[in-house]
Amino acid sequence: NKMLHFRNFFGVCICLVFLVNYCLTDSIGLDLEGKVDLQNFVYEFEKSDDRIFVFIAAFLDPELAPTIKDFLEKAKYPDRFDFGILIQQDPESPPEFPWEGLPNFKVVRIPYLESRGVGWARTKGAELYGGQKYLLQLDSHHRFARNWDEKILEIFGRCLETGHPKPILSTYLDGYSPRGHYENPSPPRKVISERIYDTGKVRFVGSSDGRHATEPIPSAIISAHFIFTYGKWLDEVPYDPLVYFDGEEDTLSVRSWTRGWDIFSPTVNVIWHLYGRENQKKHWDVHPDWWKIKQISEARVRGILHQEPSSEDYGIYGIGDNRSYEDFQEFSGLYFPKWHLGKRALTGDLSIAETNPPPAEYPPKCKYNLSGGGVFIEIGMDVWHERHSGSVWTFRKFKKEDNGDLILFDASRGMYMKLTTKDVSWGETKRADKAIEKWNRIHDVQSIECEQQ
């Protein structure tokens, strides 16, 4: 009898083990019909010789070494990564990097003053790519959950299983403090569009409702501080070395989607990103020509995204031809050419109907050609640019006088400008109420060109 009871007890235990294993597997791997096992992709990865290229460009960043340390300590497959690290450093005090010289680390160091911005740096870093099957692009300041790489592979595999042969996992990750300790996954974040700046760049932010997702979240926006995809993405959508900073994600998103890549936010957050870094020097804090590089870049981005006329052929850095740019705008709610954010962009929810489309008609845009070769050009949404002697200044329309004269205002310089059919003047203000006491003529207007309504 004792033996019989033991056998029964043993049988119940075996059944419980199988039941618990089934439930755990179902919670992370099976769909309702039991046909899709997310572990299959990870299992195939474990059996293969496939490797992941980790792509990081660091600029005077003391967080680089702590990031790599946490990366390797928390990864389930630390021996499957090949690193390409570009360190933009102060040559008088180069940072220590303990992994330099290891077979799976390619490290390039350059003086920080040689850097031309993020596009230039990531282009240099991409030159270290060695044909690995997968790509992970990060910034140089992150923290990781335990077995974070296994989870990323699971989610990527789910994208493939649901009919997306060219998926990209990307989002604005949760933030961290260098003094914090990070282990447990947090709810996912989707990307929403908050506003369009006067330069044409869209401000993207991460947003979470606190709920965990069961499926990868369709998105239209690439966050450059976290990208996981196939390595061939670097060949199809190479980094534009002339994009300084703003516009990096705007152009990458459009260029990738129109070349057939589908973007998803992960179902869970397993990597954290350091935002702000107020006490950390950025390129624009130390490089004497940063503003010139920035202005050239911003004009290039506006040209690529059709936010202003351009006759330049951008080639591989332009919009793709696998899917149309118009379809991207409808899909994403990001109507770059019309400087307009639809409901989909504002909410990050691509499943809803677009209830905030751009107006069917816009007022005609105008261009004032000045003596000496400069121009004032309206680029949309009451935004004007003054372009003169290689510089670009942004104005917003302040008001239009009854006689047709335009009063523009540059908030960054606190400057008023008046455009008439004959000349351009700047407004001199001395009183506390900023009332204009005198207009000082600075340019003749040679001609005015306006679009037809």
Side-chain angles (χ1 to χ4, degrees):
N1 287 339
K2 289 183 178 180
M3 180 62 67
L4 180 61
H5 285 305
F6 177 79
R7 288 177 179 176
N8 289 340
F9 176 77
F10 184 77
V12 170
C13 290
I14 293 296
C15 290
L16 285 174
V17 169
F18 277 106
L19 179 61
V20 170
N21 182 66
Y22 171 80
C23 292
L24 288 174
T25 304
D26 185 62
S27 68
I28 61 173
L30 296 178
D31 66 9
L32 295 178
E33 296 178 354
K35 294 179 181 179
V36 178
D37 184 356
L38 299 188
Q39 297 294 328
N40 281 346
F41 185 78
V42 178
Y43 178 65
E44 293 297 329
F45 175 80
E46 288 177 341
K47 292 196 305 179
S48 73
D49 294 326
D50 296 333
R51 301 189 64 77
I52 302 171
F53 176 64
V54 184
F55 175 32
I56 296 175
F59 187 87
L60 299 175
D61 192 355
E63 277 289 296
L64 173 60
T67 292
I68 299 299
K69 181 176 183 292
D70 201 58
F71 180 114
L72 294 171
E73 288 179 350
K74 303 284 186 62
K76 183 173 182 179
Y77 309 105
D79 59 340
R80 302 296 289 275
F81 294 98
D82 296 320
F83 292 82
I85 311 291
L86 179 72
I87 301 178
Q88 299 158 94
Q89 65 184 19
D90 184 345
E92 296 184 1
S93 56
E96 293 185 4
F97 192 71
W99 303 271
E100 194 166 5
L102 294 180
N104 62 328
F105 276 83
K106 293 181 180 179
V107 180
V108 174
R109 295 174 180 262
I110 64 167
Y112 69 91
L113 287 178
E114 291 183 10
S115 175
R116 306 290 291 176
V118 67
W120 181 92
R122 295 205 203 270
T123 299
K124 290 291 183 184
E127 293 173 359
L128 303 176
Y129 172 60
Q132 291 85 349
K133 186 171 183 178
Y134 302 104
L135 164 76
L136 174 61
Q137 177 176 303
L138 297 170
D139 279 352
S140 50
H141 29 270
H142 289 282
R143 293 294 184 269
F144 304 85
R146 185 71 60 186
N147 296 333
W148 61 270
D149 49 343
E150 180 183 40
K151 194 59 173 179
I152 293 298
L153 286 165
E154 281 183 21
I155 301 168
F156 189 78
R158 182 57 179 165
C159 295
L160 295 171
E161 294 284 358
T162 52
H164 300 278
K166 296 169 66 174
I168 296 173
L169 293 182
S170 187
T171 193
Y172 273 65
L173 303 167
D174 272 349
Y176 80 90
S177 165
R179 294 180 296 276
H181 183 70
Y182 300 87
E183 285 281 351
N184 298 319
S186 55
R189 289 158 64 91
K190 61 184 179 181
V191 182
I192 64 174
S193 305
E194 277 196 340
R195 56 171 291 200
I196 300 180
Y197 292 108
D198 290 351
T199 59
K201 190 264 182 293
V202 175
R203 172 175 167 78
F204 302 117
V205 297
S207 175
S208 174
D209 59 10
R211 295 180 295 179
H212 287 275
T214 57
E215 296 288 343
I217 305 167
S219 178
I221 300 304
I222 287 176
S223 164
H225 69 240
F226 167 64
I227 298 171
F228 184 85
T229 187
Y230 285 123
K232 64 180 181 180
W233 176 75
L234 275 180
D235 296 323
E236 293 189 18
V237 192
Y239 256 89
D240 187 339
L242 298 182
V243 171
Y244 177 67
F245 183 75
D246 285 345
E248 173 192 15
E249 295 168 338
D250 313 53
T251 53
L252 276 181
S253 302
V254 173
R255 292 172 57 213
S256 297
W257 195 91
T258 56
R259 285 175 170 81
W261 293 85
D262 294 314
I263 306 162
F264 295 90
S265 294
T267 56
V268 65
N269 188 89
V270 291
I271 306 176
W272 290 265
H273 178 260
L274 182 59
Y275 294 93
R277 301 188 300 137
E278 289 81 5
N279 299 321
Q280 184 61 43
K281 289 182 179 179
K282 318 297 194 303
H283 189 273
W284 47 86
D285 295 321
V286 296
H287 199 288
D289 294 328
W290 72 270
W291 61 275
K292 295 179 182 178
I293 307 170
K294 176 177 181 288
Q295 289 180 344
I296 293 171
S297 168
E298 288 172 346
R300 179 177 179 82
V301 168
R302 289 191 296 269
I304 291 171
L305 298 178
H306 301 180
Q307 291 178 298
E308 64 180 50
S310 174
S311 58
E312 184 172 346
D313 179 4
Y314 298 101
I316 192 66
Y317 304 119
I319 293 169
D321 55 11
N322 292 75
R323 294 187 283 205
S324 76
Y325 189 25
E326 291 72 23
D327 285 346
F328 172 84
Q329 295 171 59
E330 294 294 329
F331 171 74
S332 65
L334 288 160
Y335 300 92
F336 286 109
K338 293 187 176 181
W339 294 60
H340 181 83
L341 299 179
K343 189 71 172 179
R344 288 183 162 203
L346 292 167
T347 62
D349 187 349
L350 303 184
S351 67
I352 63 174
E354 184 54 76
T355 58
N356 184 39
E361 294 185 0
Y362 275 73
K365 300 176 185 177
C366 291
K367 177 181 178 182
Y368 286 63
N369 298 300
L370 311 179
S371 58
V375 298
F376 270 86
I377 182 169
E378 183 182 13
I379 58 176
M381 303 295 288
D382 289 334
V383 177
W384 288 72
H385 282 166
E386 177 191 8
R387 301 176 187 173
H388 203 281
S389 302
S391 297
V392 181
W393 303 102
T394 301
F395 293 81
R396 279 197 173 272
K397 186 172 78 174
F398 182 67
K399 65 177 178 178
K400 188 172 184 177
E401 304 281 16
D402 293 339
N403 62 0
D405 293 350
L406 282 172
I407 310 297
L408 309 178
F409 181 65
D410 175 0
S412 65
R413 295 182 292 169
M415 176 181 289
Y416 289 93
M417 203 74 75
K418 180 167 70 172
L419 278 61
T420 75
T421 57
K422 295 182 178 179
D423 53 39
V424 175
S425 306
W426 67 273
E428 187 173 334
T429 60
K430 294 182 179 179
R431 295 184 296 179
D433 61 3
K434 301 298 182 182
I436 298 171
E437 295 186 339
K438 179 182 178 182
W439 289 105
N440 299 281
R441 178 175 164 277
I442 53 175
H443 296 296
D444 291 329
V445 173
Q446 294 185 332
S447 63
I448 301 175
E449 305 171 30
C450 289
E451 295 177 355
Q452 296 298 315
Q453 184 77 301

